[in-house]
Amino acid sequence: MELKRYIGRRLVQIFVIFFVILTVLFLLFRLAPGDPVSRMVDPNLTPEDAALLIKEFGLDQPLLMQYLYYLKNFFTGHFGFSFHYGQPVVQIIWNRLPNTILLFTTSIILSALVGIFLGKIASWHKGEKTDICMTLGALVTHTIFLPWLALIMIWVFAYKLGWFPITGMITVEIWLDPQAGLWTKALDVLYHMTLPLATLFLIHFGSYLLIMRSSMLDTLKEDYILTGRAKGLSEKVIRDHHAAPNAALPVVTSVGLSLAFSINGGALTETVFTWPGIGRELVFSVSHNDYPLAQASFLLIAIVVLLSNLVVDILYAYLDPRIRY
Amino acid sequence: MALLVVENLSVGYQTQNGYLHAVEGVSFSLDAGKSLGFVGESGCGKTTLGMAVMRLLPSNGLIREGRILFDGEDLLTKTDEEMRQIRWQEIAMIFQAAMNALNPVHRVIDQITEAIYTHTPSHNKNEAHEQVRALFKFVGLPEDRMRDYPHQYSGGMKQRAIIAMALACKPKLIIADEPTTALDVIVQDQILEETKSLQREFGVSIIYISHDISIVADICHDIGVMYAGQLVEYGAREEVFDNPSHPYTKALLSSYPTLTGEKSQLMPIPGEAPNLINPPFGCRFSDRCTEASVSCKSNPSVWLEITPTHKVLCHQCGKHCGE
Ligand SMILES: Nc1ncnc2c1ncn2[C@@H]1O[C@H](COP(=O)(O)OP(=O)(O)OP(=O)(O)O)[C@@H](O)[C@H]1O
Ligand SMILES: [Mg+2]
């Protein structure tokens, strides 16, 4: 079937892109001025432990060999030890990944769905109050400086009103309480997630709303919309069943395109709200010269973005039969 | 009783440069089971006329005056909801831009059954599918392509699918707006044949819009010739074709090769159609007419009955015919 071929092709592309990223990262970390050993090996280690690590990463070998070691270590999951935590990097990353995915995907999906829905309504009321309010709102939230918004959110909703916690992802007492069920724990996470989620959502939904709105306005001029009217379909069916599915396609594309850029905001949001995710780890490791952790965080973020892109592509193919067949 | 009677219909568009008189004082009637063709050059108001009957004009379009009686009821007094019921159930339309008339994200069969379900909600899935199968057979589309998406069809197949769709609710009237313009001559011929047989088998009335008078003459019982928003000649096919009376009709006939293959001298009509925002007071064709006199430009033209089934909107004809 065509869809399989399409996904297969995308997988190959993704693999190639990933390989390029892998190589660039290697070069970036090795060719930067300074001693590579000092970057991969914690200066506080005993000389014996250090020697072991140097051997494992092939740091005493020529560059090409180092690269092969690097690949081997990557595919076997050896990223070295974090200077700061003194733990294997893989372990740290592995713990942080689900938190990032939870916050990131939820915010993307939420902002895309709400953006599509509101954009549809706005286009339907083009030029009326509803439309003007929505468009203005979208423009304003879209252009707000994210760290500022995050701080305002904390100041208003956590500090002043006290509705939400200021930091973190869980309430430790609840998670230590053996009586607490899964449901209670989930609600606790949701409670902590509300502010960072709201921040990311506010930053992102505006652009999706604007794209959907203009795409709807274009779609409504299409001939098949006229056919729908001639068929005696109700305006609601025409809007929701005929115009919206076509108009949403550019939004899906834009979600895919914006994924890589939203990493930035994701990392900032995680940092401001001390959300224990990879983005925060990245910011932290870079500012603390924790090279092994930084390298692994970069790689993982690249993987997350590439895979989400794949998901978006599959979704697109599912929505647009011209790609599927 | 006539199925459709249009009386003194005037339609226009609000544009940046002012009000554009796209259709002016058009009257005609169409009996059940008969077909009527409208011809005229690009921009003369054919599509506007068709859209007005469906009440599907764009938002800047306005029906200024006139009556559209369908089955004895004035469509212009219907509410939007009543009109919605009439569309496709009573009057279906085949659009000029058939290539994009099907929604790319839905299967062809679903787009046809959608029309059936909308107007006969009692139909179950099997009945509706059976009906689509029969329609596909009728328009000569292979049944196993029913579940395809529109982009998997060729232009001709799309056009047939749309004809099948137009028949789905067994309407009394189909308005076909240049359904074959984008197709090659062979497919065009096939579709024309189908249109004729559709009329025989379903007894449906057809309004056929085209800029090609030979096509219209091939299909339709009656012909209406339009020029610059006005109907200028109207009558039974044989009479209009054999005895074209309006100078514009004559020019049209001589600017197309006949279907029978006789080669006649092709005569392009010199000049341009008048501006429809400020149409001339007198005869609108007078600037391009070889037979025009001074009185043509200074007086609005009047209808002249040549026979009970043949009329023409021209000053000069009166003199000629009277001679
Ligand atoms: N939406 C619109 N807004 C303003 N003017 C319009 C609009 N649609 C059509 N017109 C004008 O109305 C006149 C009649 O247009 P119409 O589309 O009915 O012509 P037509 O006979 O169908 O032409 P064609 O053979 O090219 O399809 C033209 O002068 C056109 O410019
Ligand atoms: Mg037209």
Side-chain angles (χ1 to χ4, degrees), chain B residues 46-68:
Chain B
K46 308 180 295 290
T47 301
T48 306
L49 182 60
M51 292 295 189
V53 172
M54 284 290 263
R55 281 208 16 215
L56 275 178
L57 290 168
S59 54
N60 64 336
L62 177 75
I63 298 178
R64 211 165 35 114
E65 68 173 304
R67 295 207 298 167
I68 302 174

Side-chain angles (χ1 to χ4, degrees), chain B residues 1-9 26-31 52-53 55 66-78 83 86 91 173 207:
Chain B
M1 192 180 74
L3 178 68
L4 178 73
V5 180
V6 169
E7 288 172 0
N8 194 26
L9 184 71
V26 167
S27 307
F28 62 87
S29 82
L30 173 63
D31 287 341
V53 172
R55 281 208 16 215
R67 295 207 298 167
I68 302 174
L69 300 170
F70 182 81
D71 253 352
E73 293 180 45
D74 191 349
L75 294 186
L76 299 183
T77 61
K78 299 271 181 211
M83 211 46 223
I86 290 173
I91 311 176
L173 171 65
I207 291 183

Side-chain angles (χ1 to χ4, degrees), chain A residues 151-260:
Chain A
L151 288 175
I152 292 289
M153 293 289 257
I154 291 182
W155 191 69
V156 174
F157 294 104
Y159 181 70
K160 280 283 171 193
L161 296 172
W163 290 352
F164 297 100
I166 295 183
T167 60
M169 182 174 167
I170 51 168
T171 312
V172 181
E173 292 80 39
I174 290 181
W175 285 67
L176 288 180
D177 181 3
Q179 306 271 286
L182 192 65
W183 192 226
T184 326
K185 291 178 178 173
L187 276 181
D188 182 48
V189 172
L190 194 65
Y191 176 57
H192 282 81
M193 191 163 80
T194 309
L195 284 188
L197 185 64
T199 306
L200 284 174
F201 166 77
L202 280 176
I203 291 290
H204 288 135
F205 92 99
S207 66
Y208 300 141
L209 186 155
L210 296 175
I211 297 170
M212 180 65 181
R213 178 181 175 277
S214 75
S215 168
M216 259 314 258
L217 291 178
D218 285 343
T219 308
L220 287 172
K221 293 187 197 119
E222 294 285 347
D223 293 323
Y224 52 79
I225 298 297
L226 190 61
T227 309
R229 295 224 161 88
K231 266 158 68 173
L233 306 179
S234 70
E235 289 297 299
K236 193 170 173 301
V237 170
I238 288 173
R239 182 189 67 188
D240 296 344
H241 192 63
H242 286 274
N246 284 286
L249 292 174
V251 182
V252 176
T253 310
S254 113
V255 170
L257 289 175
S258 64
L259 276 177

Side-chain angles (χ1 to χ4, degrees), chain B residues 104-120:
Chain B
V105 304
H106 297 304
R107 293 178 195 278
V108 174
I109 184 170
D110 294 337
Q111 300 190 48
I112 300 179
T113 53
E114 183 181 38
I116 299 174
Y117 293 141
T118 304
H119 295 288
T120 32

Side-chain angles (χ1 to χ4, degrees), chain B:
Chain B
M1 192 180 74
L3 178 68
L4 178 73
V5 180
V6 169
E7 288 172 0
N8 194 26
L9 184 71
S10 294
V11 187
Y13 296 101
Q14 209 59 56
T15 70
Q16 275 164 346
N17 305 326
Y19 184 82
L20 185 148
H21 305 257
V23 169
E24 281 273 291
V26 167
S27 307
F28 62 87
S29 82
L30 173 63
D31 287 341
K34 295 287 184 194
S35 56
L36 165 63
F38 284 106
V39 277
E41 63 192 20
S42 186
C44 68
K46 308 180 295 290
T47 301
T48 306
L49 182 60
M51 292 295 189
V53 172
M54 284 290 263
R55 281 208 16 215
L56 275 178
L57 290 168
S59 54
N60 64 336
L62 177 75
I63 298 178
R64 211 165 35 114
E65 68 173 304
R67 295 207 298 167
I68 302 174
L69 300 170
F70 182 81
D71 253 352
E73 293 180 45
D74 191 349
L75 294 186
L76 299 183
T77 61
K78 299 271 181 211
T79 63
D80 287 347
E81 182 55 28
E82 285 168 337
M83 211 46 223
R84 202 176 65 70
Q85 307 279 353
I86 290 173
R87 291 191 192 124
W88 224 257
Q89 172 80 302
E90 308 281 339
I91 311 176
M93 188 150 189
I94 300 169
F95 291 104
Q96 189 162 4
M99 295 308 115
N100 306 316
L102 293 167
N103 191 329
V105 304
H106 297 304
R107 293 178 195 278
V108 174
I109 184 170
D110 294 337
Q111 300 190 48
I112 300 179
T113 53
E114 183 181 38
I116 299 174
Y117 293 141
T118 304
H119 295 288
T120 32
S122 56
H123 263 52
N124 68 29
K125 206 175 157 188
N126 279 343
E127 284 171 314
H129 281 205
E130 217 35 65
Q131 211 170 322
V132 177
R133 189 161 294 139
L135 289 169
F136 260 55
K137 203 169 191 171
F138 176 75
V139 298
L141 280 172
E143 277 174 34
D144 58 343
R145 302 294 296 272
M146 287 196 315
R147 299 190 56 76
D148 279 8
Y149 286 92
H151 73 274
Q152 294 169 287
Y153 279 14
S154 69
M157 292 172 76
K158 277 186 206 167
Q159 194 54 276
R160 281 161 204 228
I162 289 166
I163 294 176
M165 188 154 87
L167 292 168
C169 297
K170 307 209 165 55
K172 294 184 187 142
L173 171 65
I174 293 179
I175 302 175
D177 189 355
E178 309 214 25
T180 60
T181 304
L183 305 173
D184 69 59
V185 192
I186 296 181
V187 181
Q188 193 170 327
D189 259 12
Q190 292 169 344
I191 301 249
L192 289 182
E193 283 310 314
E194 263 153 38
T195 313
K196 280 194 252 180
S197 69
L198 162 167
Q199 211 186 339
R200 277 196 305 273
E201 288 185 33
F202 288 76
V204 52
S205 302
I206 294 183
I207 291 183
Y208 198 100
I209 294 171
S210 174
H211 56 260
D212 186 339
I213 195 167
S214 57
I215 289 186
V216 168
D218 184 28
I219 295 187
C220 302
H221 300 103
D222 293 329
I223 295 180
V225 179
M226 286 185 77
Y227 182 78
Q230 290 178 321
L231 201 56
V232 293
E233 181 158 1
Y234 178 72
R237 161 182 47 192
E238 291 76 15
E239 295 185 68
V240 174
F241 216 58
D242 297 341
N243 178 26
S245 301
H246 197 283
Y248 178 64
T249 313
K250 291 180 200 162
L252 261 191
L253 276 171
S254 64
S255 63
Y256 275 100
T258 56
L259 262 195
T260 47
E262 288 166 41
K263 288 221 173 83
S264 62
Q265 188 82 31
L266 290 190
M267 297 267 289
I269 311 168
E272 273 175 47
N275 177 341
L276 291 179
I277 292 177
N278 284 311
F281 180 69
C283 169
R284 294 187 176 185
F285 189 61
S286 56
D287 283 345
R288 298 166 78 182
C289 183
T290 48
E291 304 169 28
S293 67
V294 183
S295 67
C296 289
K297 298 198 196 221
S298 49
N299 300 309
S301 13
V302 284
W303 280 102
L304 176 85
E305 211 168 82
I306 298 167
T307 72
T309 50
H310 188 187
K311 319 184 280 175
V312 60
L313 185 71
C314 181
H315 287 291
Q316 292 301 330
C317 294
K319 295 180 197 154
H320 292 307
C321 302
E323 278 163 13

